[in-house]
Amino acid sequence: MTHDLDRALAGISGILVTPYDDAGEIAPDRLAPILDRALGAGVHMPVVNGNTGEFYALTTDESCTMVREVAAMVDGRAPLLAGVGRGIRDACRLAEVSAEAGASALMIHQPPDPFVAPRGTVDYVRAVSEAAGGLPVMLYLRNDAIGTDGIQALCELPGVKGVKWATPNPMRLAAAIAACDPTITWVGGLAEVWAPSFYAVGARGFTSGLINVWPERSVAIHAALEGGDFAEANGLIAGMRAFEDIRAEELNGTNVTGVKAALIAQGHDCGQTRPPSAWPLTEAQQEKMRNFLASNGLVHSREKEHSHA
């Protein structure tokens, strides 16, 4: 099945967790009900091997297994965005496997190497794209220090269709949008809370970890933003902000911890997180999470579904 990738990029990129079993090994089958609910709610594009998926805690072999398994689970119901990154050879191998598995596009993580040259990053992205046979690319920018010229050089590479903007600098985003090809989709990469600010300067769509737990709320926020109703979007965001506040604690070290703790409370045990992520939530954090889930009917709704299963 073919999908409108531009439409999907401007939608919700739902970053899936990577489940582990009791021995700490990846257990992709545990994702099935989470993925089904997200797609059923209207999430436009699932993402495997993203940061909410603990990409940097996985081996390259594990990442290859995850993209194959998730592609099979998605089974053509939506376009699949596959994260790739790390050392150039690992990134190219994972890009090739992602293309073979049926991913619709690559999300290329920004290289975390301590010696990253802007022109070296251009070479990196080009090589990874070629390894995937020219599969469309979303660039993932967590650091905008390369400047507008550096971003423009990356966006001029063949196959770049989107940029996931994950720095809290809307004015730099606006400058980058103005400098680059107008057909590129600029995606809010800091989840729902930052989406209105990014929309205001020209971004469309946003990434989300909330979709693992409450995809219906993410879809409602997206619909409000697409309709230009910022008041409605901000109201909906206020109702889920406690979840993001928990995830942002400990230098964002509870980002995935919060998602997995919420999933466990909903009856979807996806295991612990791997170090250096924090595990478990502190008692104070856990209390905040319990209150968030209970006040929004998220635990009750899952229990009710299980009782009718």
Side-chain angles (χ1 to χ4, degrees):
M1 184 185 296
T2 58
H3 297 283
D4 183 341
L5 185 60
D6 287 322
R7 180 177 175 274
L9 286 170
I12 300 168
S13 299
I15 320 296
L16 300 166
V17 297
T18 295
Y20 306 127
D21 62 19
D22 292 345
E25 301 298 324
I26 59 170
D29 56 303
R30 298 189 184 192
L31 260 183
I34 298 164
L35 177 64
D36 289 348
R37 184 182 180 188
L39 293 178
V43 171
H44 307 85
M45 184 162 59
V47 183
V48 62
N49 292 326
N51 283 334
T52 303
E54 296 180 80
F55 176 67
Y56 286 99
L58 304 177
T59 66
T60 301
D61 284 344
E62 287 175 327
S63 297
C64 289
T65 299
M66 285 304 300
V67 71
R68 291 187 186 108
E69 294 291 324
V70 173
M73 274 182 229
V74 173
D75 194 25
R77 289 178 288 170
L80 175 65
L81 186 62
V84 302
R86 292 193 284 263
I88 185 64
R89 295 196 171 188
D90 283 328
C92 287
R93 178 184 163 211
L94 183 52
E96 186 177 345
V97 169
S98 297
E100 290 171 354
S104 301
L106 298 180
M107 178 182 74
I108 302 181
H109 289 264
Q110 197 166 10
D113 191 292
F115 304 116
V116 179
R119 61 192 171 100
T121 304
V122 170
D123 293 338
Y124 179 95
V125 172
R126 182 186 291 112
V128 172
S129 176
E130 288 174 354
L135 209 61
V137 165
M138 176 195 274
L139 304 171
Y140 184 3
L141 291 180
R142 287 177 60 83
N143 182 341
D144 55 24
I146 61 173
T148 302
D149 289 347
I151 294 167
Q152 183 180 3
L154 287 171
C155 288
E156 288 173 350
L157 287 169
V160 174
K161 298 277 285 181
V163 179
K164 175 181 173 180
W165 187 273
T167 78
N169 299 311
M171 299 314 295
R172 290 185 186 174
L173 169 58
I177 292 172
C180 295
D181 186 327
T183 64
I184 288 174
T185 302
W186 298 79
V187 179
L190 293 176
E192 288 83 354
V193 171
W194 274 90
S197 299
F198 292 155
Y199 259 73
V201 297
R204 287 295 173 268
F206 53 85
T207 58
S208 174
L210 180 68
I211 62 94
N212 292 279
V213 175
W214 197 9
E216 299 83 2
R217 175 54 60 98
S218 300
V219 170
I221 292 167
H222 181 266
L225 289 169
E226 286 294 303
D229 192 342
F230 279 69
E232 172 72 5
N234 284 323
L236 291 166
I237 289 166
M240 53 74 66
R241 185 163 194 135
F243 181 75
E244 293 299 317
D245 288 346
I246 294 166
R247 298 179 68 201
E249 292 188 16
E250 299 184 55
L251 303 176
N252 287 313
T254 50
N255 188 296
V256 188
T257 319
V259 179
K260 285 192 165 182
L263 285 169
I264 288 171
Q266 290 183 324
H268 297 301
D269 187 352
C270 288
Q272 303 181 8
T273 60
R274 290 177 175 174
S277 171
W279 188 267
L281 292 178
T282 66
E283 183 50 43
Q285 292 164 345
Q286 189 67 46
E287 182 63 21
K288 291 179 195 172
M289 183 63 75
R290 281 192 290 265
N291 290 339
F292 165 76
L293 294 170
S295 64
N296 289 294
L298 293 170
V299 179
H300 174 69
S301 65
R302 299 304 302 176
E303 288 172 348
K304 191 160 69 173
E305 285 176 26
H306 288 308
S307 70
H308 288 89

